[in-house]
Amino acid sequence: MKIALYAVGAAALAFASHPASAQNAQPQPEAQAEAKPVTDAELETFIVAASQMQRVSEDAEIAPAQKQQAMIHILSQAQMTPQRFNTIAAALESNTQLQARADQAISRLRAEAQG
């Protein structure tokens, strides 16, 4: 499940980041964004958003253009920019400490949903 969750980030990025890139003509300070630590609340928000995006991505009844809009809406509702989502997704691929925190957050979220 952990790998699938992280993988959805990469799949969702293609949908979520393209419109944002077109809208942001000014360059983003990527080094500064990457250096910003991921809070526990932000990580949980990422996990929930990625899970919702995965469901949208896998829904064969939703047209690709509608999927893109739905994913943008998910990020908007989560109050997370596509750039920050991308930064967290990239960090999850290589940062074992962040992966461990994500695993704990997933377990906590599942327990809360069941209890």
Side-chain angles (χ1 to χ4, degrees):
M1 177 65 174
K2 160 178 90 169
I3 302 301
L5 181 61
Y6 300 157
V8 74
L13 301 178
F15 292 109
S17 65
H18 179 69
S21 298
Q23 293 172 355
N24 295 329
Q26 298 177 352
Q28 293 290 329
E30 290 299 322
Q32 184 181 22
E34 290 176 14
K36 180 181 173 191
V38 178
T39 66
D40 289 341
E42 195 174 34
L43 186 57
E44 285 188 16
T45 298
F46 172 89
I47 291 166
V48 171
S51 176
Q52 292 172 344
M53 292 170 106
Q54 182 177 14
R55 284 193 293 272
V56 168
S57 177
E58 293 173 350
D59 191 334
E61 294 182 17
I62 301 175
Q66 290 174 323
K67 286 182 182 185
Q68 181 179 12
Q69 290 302 317
M71 290 183 185
I72 291 169
H73 180 72
I74 289 167
L75 288 179
S76 175
Q77 291 295 311
Q79 298 181 347
M80 181 174 284
T81 66
Q83 294 83 5
R84 187 61 177 158
F85 184 91
N86 292 347
T87 299
I88 295 170
L92 279 168
E93 291 182 18
S94 60
N95 185 326
T96 56
Q97 289 179 331
L98 188 58
Q99 291 170 4
R101 286 178 51 211
D103 290 341
Q104 291 173 348
I106 290 168
S107 295
R108 187 171 48 250
L109 290 168
R110 282 184 181 157
E112 288 173 6
Q114 293 175 355

